[in-house]
Amino acid sequence: MSTITPAGHTEPERRIQILNTVDRVCELCFGLFMALTFVGAVKAVSAGVDAGYKMFLAAFGCNLAWGLADAVMYLVRTLADRGQRLKLGLAVQREKDEALAVRALRDALPQTLDQLVEDADLERIRARLAKASTLPPRASLVRDDFVGALGIFLLVVLGTFPVALPFLIIEDVTTALVASRTLTLMILFAAGFSLGRYTGGGAIKAGFAMIAVGVLLTIAIIALGG
């Protein structure tokens, strides 16, 4: 597929990201924090040859369960949001009173955009909706939604490995704990760095901020019995 520019040139159609940078970073960090709750209790693990193996399995099993739950809730949120937008579109399309249709569109705007959008802009949207013949009768999930859910599941599960894998491959628990914490801090920094670049808020500053947030959040989770 391609699009035609005003100058008449064709450009390849840009593929829309199923999960944006914020989604990917948040889900990866969620997996890290879940696994960290097990590593934070490493001193409570009984000594033995299979102590690290048991910890890895416990963290991996937990993230499998939460990854599945998070993926399913992603589908639920997606369907609910799509249903709400479709409901608005159908209501505007069926509304005979143009002023009421424009009011419905304005009520759906976020407060930050309300002052920036004029009634004339909303009227053009209302007119296009009134002429549209492709609105589906109900909201439904599409292939990309399931791909996104799979991506969320994998990100949460992958968050297990940098935290818990050292306990599986390093026999000394103290050394494994140092390696686990080092890897976790590096990934948290990389995650914050990515968010900083994405938002334009300063990549390095955001990287260190993410480390601080991750440490504090993990301490809170463990203190609350997580």
Short mmCIF file of all heavy atoms in Angstrom, two decimals, residues 100-170:
data_model
loop_
_atom_site.label_atom_id
_atom_site.label_comp_id
_atom_site.label_asym_id
_atom_site.label_seq_id
_atom_site.Cartn_x
_atom_site.Cartn_y
_atom_site.Cartn_z
N LEU A 100 -26.87 19.41 18.77
CA LEU A 100 -26.71 18.38 19.80
C LEU A 100 -25.58 17.42 19.44
O LEU A 100 -24.84 16.96 20.32
CB LEU A 100 -28.02 17.61 19.98
CG LEU A 100 -29.17 18.37 20.65
CD1 LEU A 100 -30.42 17.50 20.73
CD2 LEU A 100 -28.76 18.84 22.05
N ALA A 101 -25.43 17.13 18.16
CA ALA A 101 -24.35 16.25 17.72
C ALA A 101 -22.99 16.89 17.97
O ALA A 101 -22.05 16.24 18.44
CB ALA A 101 -24.52 15.92 16.24
N VAL A 102 -22.89 18.18 17.68
CA VAL A 102 -21.64 18.90 17.93
C VAL A 102 -21.34 18.94 19.42
O VAL A 102 -20.20 18.78 19.87
CB VAL A 102 -21.71 20.33 17.34
CG1 VAL A 102 -20.52 21.17 17.82
CG2 VAL A 102 -21.72 20.26 15.82
N ARG A 103 -22.38 19.14 20.25
CA ARG A 103 -22.21 19.16 21.70
C ARG A 103 -21.71 17.81 22.21
O ARG A 103 -20.86 17.75 23.10
CB ARG A 103 -23.53 19.53 22.36
CG ARG A 103 -23.58 19.37 23.88
CD ARG A 103 -22.47 20.10 24.58
NE ARG A 103 -22.49 21.53 24.28
CZ ARG A 103 -21.56 22.39 24.71
NH1 ARG A 103 -20.53 21.93 25.42
NH2 ARG A 103 -21.65 23.67 24.42
N ALA A 104 -22.22 16.73 21.63
CA ALA A 104 -21.76 15.39 22.04
C ALA A 104 -20.29 15.20 21.72
O ALA A 104 -19.53 14.63 22.51
CB ALA A 104 -22.60 14.32 21.33
N LEU A 105 -19.86 15.71 20.57
CA LEU A 105 -18.44 15.62 20.21
C LEU A 105 -17.59 16.46 21.16
O LEU A 105 -16.51 16.03 21.59
CB LEU A 105 -18.23 16.09 18.77
CG LEU A 105 -18.74 15.15 17.67
CD1 LEU A 105 -18.65 15.83 16.31
CD2 LEU A 105 -17.95 13.85 17.67
N ARG A 106 -18.07 17.63 21.51
CA ARG A 106 -17.30 18.48 22.42
C ARG A 106 -17.20 17.86 23.81
O ARG A 106 -16.15 17.94 24.46
CB ARG A 106 -17.93 19.88 22.50
CG ARG A 106 -17.17 20.82 23.43
CD ARG A 106 -17.55 22.26 23.23
NE ARG A 106 -17.21 22.76 21.91
CZ ARG A 106 -15.98 23.11 21.52
NH1 ARG A 106 -14.96 22.99 22.37
NH2 ARG A 106 -15.76 23.56 20.31
N ASP A 107 -18.28 17.26 24.28
CA ASP A 107 -18.26 16.63 25.60
C ASP A 107 -17.26 15.48 25.66
O ASP A 107 -16.78 15.13 26.74
CB ASP A 107 -19.65 16.12 25.95
CG ASP A 107 -20.64 17.25 26.24
OD1 ASP A 107 -20.17 18.39 26.49
OD2 ASP A 107 -21.85 17.01 26.20
N ALA A 108 -16.96 14.89 24.51
CA ALA A 108 -16.03 13.76 24.46
C ALA A 108 -14.57 14.21 24.39
O ALA A 108 -13.66 13.39 24.55
CB ALA A 108 -16.35 12.87 23.27
N LEU A 109 -14.34 15.51 24.17
CA LEU A 109 -12.97 16.01 24.07
C LEU A 109 -12.30 16.06 25.44
O LEU A 109 -12.94 16.39 26.44
CB LEU A 109 -12.96 17.42 23.48
CG LEU A 109 -13.25 17.58 21.99
CD1 LEU A 109 -13.32 19.06 21.64
CD2 LEU A 109 -12.18 16.90 21.15
N PRO A 110 -11.00 15.75 25.51
CA PRO A 110 -10.27 15.97 26.76
C PRO A 110 -10.25 17.46 27.10
O PRO A 110 -10.29 18.30 26.20
CB PRO A 110 -8.85 15.46 26.44
CG PRO A 110 -9.01 14.59 25.23
CD PRO A 110 -10.17 15.14 24.47
N GLN A 111 -10.18 17.79 28.37
CA GLN A 111 -10.20 19.19 28.79
C GLN A 111 -9.04 19.98 28.19
O GLN A 111 -9.18 21.17 27.89
CB GLN A 111 -10.15 19.28 30.31
CG GLN A 111 -11.44 18.85 30.99
CD GLN A 111 -11.39 19.08 32.49
OE1 GLN A 111 -10.33 19.32 33.06
NE2 GLN A 111 -12.55 19.00 33.14
N THR A 112 -7.91 19.33 27.98
CA THR A 112 -6.75 20.03 27.43
C THR A 112 -6.96 20.45 25.99
O THR A 112 -6.28 21.35 25.50
CB THR A 112 -5.50 19.13 27.52
OG1 THR A 112 -5.79 17.86 26.90
CG2 THR A 112 -5.09 18.90 28.97
N LEU A 113 -7.88 19.81 25.28
CA LEU A 113 -8.14 20.14 23.88
C LEU A 113 -9.40 20.98 23.69
O LEU A 113 -9.59 21.55 22.61
CB LEU A 113 -8.27 18.85 23.05
CG LEU A 113 -7.03 17.97 22.93
CD1 LEU A 113 -7.35 16.74 22.10
CD2 LEU A 113 -5.87 18.74 22.31
N ASP A 114 -10.22 21.05 24.71
CA ASP A 114 -11.52 21.71 24.57
C ASP A 114 -11.39 23.15 24.09
O ASP A 114 -12.16 23.62 23.25
CB ASP A 114 -12.28 21.65 25.90
CG ASP A 114 -13.71 22.16 25.77
OD1 ASP A 114 -14.44 21.63 24.92
OD2 ASP A 114 -14.07 23.11 26.49
N GLN A 115 -10.41 23.88 24.64
CA GLN A 115 -10.25 25.29 24.29
C GLN A 115 -9.58 25.47 22.93
O GLN A 115 -9.57 26.58 22.38
CB GLN A 115 -9.42 26.00 25.36
CG GLN A 115 -10.04 25.95 26.75
CD GLN A 115 -11.39 26.65 26.80
OE1 GLN A 115 -11.59 27.68 26.15
NE2 GLN A 115 -12.32 26.09 27.56
N LEU A 116 -9.01 24.41 22.38
CA LEU A 116 -8.27 24.52 21.13
C LEU A 116 -9.11 24.14 19.91
O LEU A 116 -8.70 24.41 18.77
CB LEU A 116 -7.03 23.61 21.17
CG LEU A 116 -6.04 23.88 22.31
CD1 LEU A 116 -4.92 22.86 22.27
CD2 LEU A 116 -5.49 25.29 22.22
N VAL A 117 -10.25 23.52 20.14
CA VAL A 117 -11.10 23.04 19.05
C VAL A 117 -12.35 23.89 18.97
O VAL A 117 -13.07 24.05 19.96
CB VAL A 117 -11.48 21.55 19.25
CG1 VAL A 117 -12.36 21.07 18.10
CG2 VAL A 117 -10.23 20.69 19.38
N GLU A 118 -12.61 24.45 17.81
CA GLU A 118 -13.78 25.30 17.61
C GLU A 118 -14.96 24.47 17.14
O GLU A 118 -14.81 23.35 16.62
CB GLU A 118 -13.46 26.39 16.59
CG GLU A 118 -12.34 27.33 17.03
CD GLU A 118 -12.06 28.41 16.00
OE1 GLU A 118 -12.67 28.36 14.90
OE2 GLU A 118 -11.24 29.29 16.29
N ASP A 119 -16.15 25.04 17.29
CA ASP A 119 -17.36 24.34 16.86
C ASP A 119 -17.33 24.04 15.36
O ASP A 119 -17.87 23.03 14.91
CB ASP A 119 -18.60 25.17 17.20
CG ASP A 119 -18.95 25.10 18.68
OD1 ASP A 119 -18.38 24.25 19.38
OD2 ASP A 119 -19.81 25.89 19.13
N ALA A 120 -16.70 24.92 14.60
CA ALA A 120 -16.61 24.69 13.16
C ALA A 120 -15.81 23.42 12.85
O ALA A 120 -16.15 22.69 11.91
CB ALA A 120 -15.97 25.90 12.48
N ASP A 121 -14.78 23.18 13.63
CA ASP A 121 -13.99 21.95 13.45
C ASP A 121 -14.84 20.73 13.76
O ASP A 121 -14.81 19.73 13.03
CB ASP A 121 -12.76 21.97 14.36
CG ASP A 121 -11.87 23.17 14.10
OD1 ASP A 121 -11.67 23.49 12.90
OD2 ASP A 121 -11.37 23.76 15.06
N LEU A 122 -15.60 20.81 14.85
CA LEU A 122 -16.45 19.68 15.24
C LEU A 122 -17.59 19.48 14.24
O LEU A 122 -18.01 18.35 14.00
CB LEU A 122 -17.02 19.93 16.64
CG LEU A 122 -15.98 20.00 17.76
CD1 LEU A 122 -16.65 20.36 19.08
CD2 LEU A 122 -15.23 18.69 17.89
N GLU A 123 -18.06 20.56 13.64
CA GLU A 123 -19.13 20.45 12.65
C GLU A 123 -18.65 19.68 11.42
O GLU A 123 -19.39 18.88 10.84
CB GLU A 123 -19.63 21.84 12.25
CG GLU A 123 -20.55 21.87 11.05
CD GLU A 123 -21.78 20.99 11.19
OE1 GLU A 123 -22.22 20.74 12.34
OE2 GLU A 123 -22.29 20.52 10.16
N ARG A 124 -17.40 19.92 11.03
CA ARG A 124 -16.86 19.17 9.89
C ARG A 124 -16.77 17.69 10.20
O ARG A 124 -17.04 16.83 9.35
CB ARG A 124 -15.49 19.74 9.50
CG ARG A 124 -15.56 21.08 8.78
CD ARG A 124 -14.21 21.47 8.19
NE ARG A 124 -13.28 21.86 9.24
CZ ARG A 124 -13.14 23.10 9.68
NH1 ARG A 124 -13.91 24.07 9.19
NH2 ARG A 124 -12.25 23.40 10.61
N ILE A 125 -16.39 17.37 11.44
CA ILE A 125 -16.34 15.97 11.85
C ILE A 125 -17.74 15.37 11.86
O ILE A 125 -17.97 14.25 11.40
CB ILE A 125 -15.69 15.84 13.24
CG1 ILE A 125 -14.23 16.31 13.19
CG2 ILE A 125 -15.77 14.40 13.75
CD1 ILE A 125 -13.55 16.34 14.53
N ARG A 126 -18.70 16.15 12.38
CA ARG A 126 -20.09 15.66 12.42
C ARG A 126 -20.61 15.39 11.03
O ARG A 126 -21.29 14.38 10.77
CB ARG A 126 -20.98 16.71 13.10
CG ARG A 126 -22.44 16.26 13.27
CD ARG A 126 -23.39 17.43 13.22
NE ARG A 126 -23.36 18.11 11.94
CZ ARG A 126 -23.99 17.65 10.85
NH1 ARG A 126 -24.68 16.51 10.88
NH2 ARG A 126 -23.92 18.34 9.71
N ALA A 127 -20.29 16.29 10.08
CA ALA A 127 -20.77 16.12 8.71
C ALA A 127 -20.18 14.87 8.07
O ALA A 127 -20.88 14.14 7.36
CB ALA A 127 -20.40 17.36 7.89
N ARG A 128 -18.90 14.60 8.34
CA ARG A 128 -18.29 13.39 7.78
C ARG A 128 -18.90 12.13 8.39
O ARG A 128 -19.11 11.13 7.70
CB ARG A 128 -16.77 13.43 7.99
CG ARG A 128 -16.05 14.42 7.08
CD ARG A 128 -14.56 14.16 7.04
NE ARG A 128 -13.92 14.40 8.33
CZ ARG A 128 -13.42 15.58 8.70
NH1 ARG A 128 -13.50 16.62 7.87
NH2 ARG A 128 -12.84 15.72 9.87
N LEU A 129 -19.14 12.18 9.69
CA LEU A 129 -19.77 11.03 10.33
C LEU A 129 -21.19 10.80 9.81
O LEU A 129 -21.62 9.66 9.63
CB LEU A 129 -19.82 11.24 11.85
CG LEU A 129 -18.51 11.00 12.61
CD1 LEU A 129 -18.66 11.43 14.07
CD2 LEU A 129 -18.12 9.53 12.55
N ALA A 130 -21.89 11.88 9.54
CA ALA A 130 -23.26 11.76 9.04
C ALA A 130 -23.30 11.08 7.68
O ALA A 130 -24.26 10.37 7.35
CB ALA A 130 -23.91 13.13 8.96
N LYS A 131 -22.25 11.27 6.89
CA LYS A 131 -22.20 10.68 5.56
C LYS A 131 -21.52 9.31 5.54
O LYS A 131 -21.56 8.62 4.52
CB LYS A 131 -21.46 11.62 4.61
CG LYS A 131 -22.15 12.97 4.41
CD LYS A 131 -21.32 13.87 3.52
CE LYS A 131 -21.99 15.23 3.33
NZ LYS A 131 -21.16 16.14 2.49
N ALA A 132 -20.87 8.95 6.64
CA ALA A 132 -20.12 7.69 6.66
C ALA A 132 -21.07 6.50 6.58
O ALA A 132 -22.15 6.49 7.17
CB ALA A 132 -19.29 7.59 7.94
N SER A 133 -20.64 5.51 5.82
CA SER A 133 -21.46 4.30 5.66
C SER A 133 -20.70 3.06 6.08
O SER A 133 -21.12 1.93 5.81
CB SER A 133 -21.91 4.16 4.21
OG SER A 133 -20.78 4.09 3.34
N THR A 134 -19.56 3.26 6.75
CA THR A 134 -18.70 2.13 7.09
C THR A 134 -18.60 1.86 8.57
O THR A 134 -17.80 1.03 9.00
CB THR A 134 -17.28 2.36 6.53
OG1 THR A 134 -16.77 3.60 7.07
CG2 THR A 134 -17.29 2.46 5.02
N LEU A 135 -19.37 2.56 9.39
CA LEU A 135 -19.30 2.32 10.84
C LEU A 135 -19.87 0.94 11.14
O LEU A 135 -20.99 0.61 10.73
CB LEU A 135 -20.09 3.39 11.60
CG LEU A 135 -19.50 4.80 11.59
CD1 LEU A 135 -20.39 5.75 12.38
CD2 LEU A 135 -18.10 4.81 12.15
N PRO A 136 -19.13 0.11 11.87
CA PRO A 136 -19.63 -1.22 12.19
C PRO A 136 -20.75 -1.15 13.23
O PRO A 136 -20.84 -0.19 13.99
CB PRO A 136 -18.40 -1.93 12.77
CG PRO A 136 -17.57 -0.82 13.34
CD PRO A 136 -17.79 0.36 12.43
N PRO A 137 -21.60 -2.16 13.27
CA PRO A 137 -22.71 -2.13 14.24
C PRO A 137 -22.25 -2.34 15.67
O PRO A 137 -22.92 -1.95 16.61
CB PRO A 137 -23.61 -3.28 13.77
CG PRO A 137 -22.68 -4.21 13.05
CD PRO A 137 -21.66 -3.33 12.38
N ARG A 138 -21.10 -2.97 15.84
CA ARG A 138 -20.60 -3.22 17.20
C ARG A 138 -19.08 -3.25 17.18
O ARG A 138 -18.45 -3.49 16.13
CB ARG A 138 -21.15 -4.54 17.74
CG ARG A 138 -20.68 -5.77 16.99
CD ARG A 138 -21.28 -7.04 17.55
NE ARG A 138 -22.73 -7.02 17.44
CZ ARG A 138 -23.39 -7.42 16.35
NH1 ARG A 138 -22.72 -7.83 15.28
NH2 ARG A 138 -24.69 -7.38 16.31
N ALA A 139 -18.49 -3.02 18.33
CA ALA A 139 -17.03 -3.06 18.44
C ALA A 139 -16.55 -4.50 18.45
O ALA A 139 -17.22 -5.39 18.98
CB ALA A 139 -16.58 -2.35 19.72
N SER A 140 -15.38 -4.72 17.89
CA SER A 140 -14.81 -6.07 17.86
C SER A 140 -13.29 -5.96 17.87
O SER A 140 -12.72 -4.90 17.60
CB SER A 140 -15.28 -6.84 16.63
OG SER A 140 -14.89 -6.16 15.44
N LEU A 141 -12.65 -7.06 18.20
CA LEU A 141 -11.19 -7.12 18.22
C LEU A 141 -10.68 -7.55 16.85
O LEU A 141 -11.34 -8.33 16.15
CB LEU A 141 -10.72 -8.10 19.29
CG LEU A 141 -11.05 -7.73 20.74
CD1 LEU A 141 -10.72 -8.87 21.68
CD2 LEU A 141 -10.30 -6.46 21.16
N VAL A 142 -9.50 -7.06 16.49
CA VAL A 142 -8.89 -7.41 15.22
C VAL A 142 -7.55 -8.09 15.49
O VAL A 142 -7.09 -8.19 16.64
CB VAL A 142 -8.69 -6.17 14.33
CG1 VAL A 142 -10.04 -5.54 13.99
CG2 VAL A 142 -7.79 -5.14 15.01
N ARG A 143 -6.92 -8.56 14.43
CA ARG A 143 -5.68 -9.32 14.56
C ARG A 143 -4.60 -8.55 15.33
O ARG A 143 -3.94 -9.11 16.21
CB ARG A 143 -5.15 -9.67 13.17
CG ARG A 143 -3.80 -10.39 13.17
CD ARG A 143 -3.33 -10.67 11.76
NE ARG A 143 -1.98 -11.24 11.74
CZ ARG A 143 -0.87 -10.50 11.76
NH1 ARG A 143 -0.96 -9.17 11.80
NH2 ARG A 143 0.32 -11.07 11.74
N ASP A 144 -4.43 -7.25 15.03
CA ASP A 144 -3.39 -6.47 15.70
C ASP A 144 -3.62 -6.37 17.20
O ASP A 144 -2.66 -6.22 17.97
CB ASP A 144 -3.32 -5.06 15.10
CG ASP A 144 -2.57 -5.04 13.77
OD1 ASP A 144 -2.01 -6.08 13.39
OD2 ASP A 144 -2.56 -3.99 13.12
N ASP A 145 -4.87 -6.45 17.64
CA ASP A 145 -5.14 -6.42 19.08
C ASP A 145 -4.54 -7.64 19.76
O ASP A 145 -3.96 -7.53 20.85
CB ASP A 145 -6.65 -6.38 19.33
CG ASP A 145 -7.30 -5.13 18.74
OD1 ASP A 145 -6.64 -4.07 18.71
OD2 ASP A 145 -8.46 -5.22 18.30
N PHE A 146 -4.68 -8.79 19.14
CA PHE A 146 -4.12 -10.02 19.73
C PHE A 146 -2.59 -10.02 19.64
O PHE A 146 -1.92 -10.55 20.52
CB PHE A 146 -4.71 -11.25 19.02
CG PHE A 146 -6.18 -11.42 19.26
CD1 PHE A 146 -7.10 -11.02 18.32
CD2 PHE A 146 -6.64 -11.99 20.44
CE1 PHE A 146 -8.46 -11.16 18.54
CE2 PHE A 146 -8.00 -12.14 20.68
CZ PHE A 146 -8.91 -11.73 19.72
N VAL A 147 -2.06 -9.42 18.57
CA VAL A 147 -0.60 -9.27 18.49
C VAL A 147 -0.10 -8.39 19.62
O VAL A 147 0.93 -8.67 20.26
CB VAL A 147 -0.19 -8.69 17.11
CG1 VAL A 147 1.31 -8.40 17.08
CG2 VAL A 147 -0.56 -9.66 15.99
N GLY A 148 -0.83 -7.30 19.89
CA GLY A 148 -0.45 -6.42 20.99
C GLY A 148 -0.53 -7.12 22.33
O GLY A 148 0.33 -6.95 23.19
N ALA A 149 -1.58 -7.94 22.52
CA ALA A 149 -1.72 -8.69 23.77
C ALA A 149 -0.58 -9.69 23.93
O ALA A 149 -0.03 -9.85 25.04
CB ALA A 149 -3.06 -9.43 23.79
N LEU A 150 -0.19 -10.33 22.83
CA LEU A 150 0.95 -11.26 22.89
C LEU A 150 2.23 -10.51 23.24
O LEU A 150 3.06 -10.99 24.02
CB LEU A 150 1.10 -11.97 21.55
CG LEU A 150 2.30 -12.91 21.42
CD1 LEU A 150 2.21 -14.05 22.44
CD2 LEU A 150 2.40 -13.47 19.99
N GLY A 151 2.40 -9.31 22.67
CA GLY A 151 3.58 -8.51 22.98
C GLY A 151 3.64 -8.14 24.45
O GLY A 151 4.71 -8.20 25.07
N ILE A 152 2.51 -7.79 25.03
CA ILE A 152 2.45 -7.47 26.46
C ILE A 152 2.82 -8.69 27.29
O ILE A 152 3.61 -8.60 28.24
CB ILE A 152 1.05 -6.95 26.82
CG1 ILE A 152 0.87 -5.53 26.31
CG2 ILE A 152 0.82 -6.99 28.34
CD1 ILE A 152 -0.51 -4.96 26.51
N PHE A 153 2.25 -9.83 26.94
CA PHE A 153 2.55 -11.07 27.67
C PHE A 153 4.05 -11.36 27.64
O PHE A 153 4.67 -11.67 28.67
CB PHE A 153 1.77 -12.22 27.05
CG PHE A 153 2.12 -13.58 27.59
CD1 PHE A 153 1.65 -13.99 28.83
CD2 PHE A 153 2.94 -14.43 26.87
CE1 PHE A 153 1.98 -15.23 29.34
CE2 PHE A 153 3.27 -15.68 27.37
CZ PHE A 153 2.79 -16.08 28.61
N LEU A 154 4.65 -11.25 26.46
CA LEU A 154 6.08 -11.57 26.33
C LEU A 154 6.95 -10.56 27.08
O LEU A 154 7.95 -10.95 27.69
CB LEU A 154 6.47 -11.58 24.85
CG LEU A 154 5.86 -12.72 24.01
CD1 LEU A 154 6.27 -12.58 22.55
CD2 LEU A 154 6.29 -14.08 24.55
N LEU A 155 6.57 -9.28 27.06
CA LEU A 155 7.36 -8.28 27.77
C LEU A 155 7.35 -8.53 29.27
O LEU A 155 8.39 -8.40 29.94
CB LEU A 155 6.82 -6.88 27.47
CG LEU A 155 7.16 -6.31 26.09
CD1 LEU A 155 6.36 -5.04 25.83
CD2 LEU A 155 8.66 -6.03 25.98
N VAL A 156 6.18 -8.87 29.82
CA VAL A 156 6.10 -9.14 31.25
C VAL A 156 6.92 -10.38 31.60
O VAL A 156 7.66 -10.39 32.60
CB VAL A 156 4.63 -9.32 31.69
CG1 VAL A 156 4.56 -9.77 33.15
CG2 VAL A 156 3.86 -8.02 31.50
N VAL A 157 6.82 -11.42 30.79
CA VAL A 157 7.56 -12.65 31.05
C VAL A 157 9.06 -12.43 30.90
O VAL A 157 9.86 -12.91 31.72
CB VAL A 157 7.08 -13.78 30.12
CG1 VAL A 157 7.97 -15.02 30.27
CG2 VAL A 157 5.63 -14.15 30.43
N LEU A 158 9.46 -11.68 29.87
CA LEU A 158 10.88 -11.42 29.66
C LEU A 158 11.49 -10.62 30.80
O LEU A 158 12.70 -10.71 31.05
CB LEU A 158 11.09 -10.67 28.34
CG LEU A 158 10.87 -11.48 27.07
CD1 LEU A 158 10.99 -10.59 25.84
CD2 LEU A 158 11.88 -12.63 26.98
N GLY A 159 10.65 -9.85 31.51
CA GLY A 159 11.15 -9.11 32.65
C GLY A 159 11.66 -10.00 33.77
O GLY A 159 12.38 -9.55 34.66
N THR A 160 11.30 -11.29 33.73
CA THR A 160 11.77 -12.24 34.74
C THR A 160 13.26 -12.50 34.62
O THR A 160 13.99 -12.58 35.63
CB THR A 160 11.03 -13.59 34.60
OG1 THR A 160 9.64 -13.37 34.59
CG2 THR A 160 11.41 -14.54 35.73
N PHE A 161 13.75 -12.65 33.40
CA PHE A 161 15.08 -13.22 33.17
C PHE A 161 16.24 -12.38 33.70
O PHE A 161 17.13 -12.93 34.37
CB PHE A 161 15.26 -13.53 31.69
CG PHE A 161 14.39 -14.66 31.22
CD1 PHE A 161 13.14 -14.42 30.69
CD2 PHE A 161 14.80 -15.97 31.35
CE1 PHE A 161 12.32 -15.47 30.28
CE2 PHE A 161 14.00 -17.03 30.95
CZ PHE A 161 12.75 -16.77 30.41
N PRO A 162 16.32 -11.07 33.43
CA PRO A 162 17.47 -10.33 33.97
C PRO A 162 17.50 -10.30 35.49
O PRO A 162 18.57 -10.14 36.08
CB PRO A 162 17.28 -8.92 33.39
CG PRO A 162 15.84 -8.83 33.07
CD PRO A 162 15.42 -10.19 32.64
N VAL A 163 16.34 -10.45 36.13
CA VAL A 163 16.27 -10.38 37.59
C VAL A 163 16.56 -11.74 38.22
O VAL A 163 17.33 -11.85 39.18
CB VAL A 163 14.89 -9.88 38.04
CG1 VAL A 163 14.81 -9.84 39.57
CG2 VAL A 163 14.61 -8.50 37.47
N ALA A 164 15.95 -12.79 37.69
CA ALA A 164 16.02 -14.10 38.34
C ALA A 164 17.02 -15.07 37.72
O ALA A 164 17.45 -16.02 38.39
CB ALA A 164 14.62 -14.74 38.31
N LEU A 165 17.40 -14.84 36.47
CA LEU A 165 18.30 -15.78 35.80
C LEU A 165 19.65 -15.93 36.50
O LEU A 165 20.20 -17.04 36.55
CB LEU A 165 18.50 -15.37 34.34
CG LEU A 165 19.19 -16.40 33.44
CD1 LEU A 165 18.39 -17.70 33.41
CD2 LEU A 165 19.37 -15.85 32.03
N PRO A 166 20.26 -14.86 37.05
CA PRO A 166 21.55 -15.04 37.74
C PRO A 166 21.49 -16.07 38.86
O PRO A 166 22.49 -16.76 39.12
CB PRO A 166 21.84 -13.63 38.30
CG PRO A 166 21.16 -12.72 37.35
CD PRO A 166 19.89 -13.42 36.96
N PHE A 167 20.35 -16.23 39.51
CA PHE A 167 20.25 -17.22 40.59
C PHE A 167 20.20 -18.64 40.05
O PHE A 167 20.41 -19.60 40.78
CB PHE A 167 18.99 -16.94 41.42
CG PHE A 167 19.06 -15.65 42.18
CD1 PHE A 167 18.56 -14.48 41.63
CD2 PHE A 167 19.65 -15.60 43.44
CE1 PHE A 167 18.64 -13.29 42.32
CE2 PHE A 167 19.72 -14.41 44.13
CZ PHE A 167 19.22 -13.25 43.58
N LEU A 168 19.95 -18.76 38.75
CA LEU A 168 19.91 -20.08 38.12
C LEU A 168 21.28 -20.51 37.61
O LEU A 168 21.59 -21.70 37.57
CB LEU A 168 18.90 -20.07 36.96
CG LEU A 168 18.56 -21.41 36.31
CD1 LEU A 168 17.93 -22.36 37.34
CD2 LEU A 168 17.62 -21.20 35.14
N ILE A 169 22.11 -19.54 37.25
CA ILE A 169 23.40 -19.87 36.63
C ILE A 169 24.59 -19.58 37.54
O ILE A 169 25.71 -19.99 37.23
CB ILE A 169 23.57 -19.12 35.29
CG1 ILE A 169 23.55 -17.62 35.51
CG2 ILE A 169 22.48 -19.55 34.31
CD1 ILE A 169 23.75 -16.80 34.23
N ILE A 170 24.37 -18.84 38.65
CA ILE A 170 25.46 -18.54 39.59
C ILE A 170 25.15 -19.22 40.92
O ILE A 170 24.10 -18.97 41.52
CB ILE A 170 25.62 -17.02 39.79
CG1 ILE A 170 25.90 -16.33 38.45
CG2 ILE A 170 26.72 -16.72 40.80
CD1 ILE A 170 25.98 -14.81 38.55
#
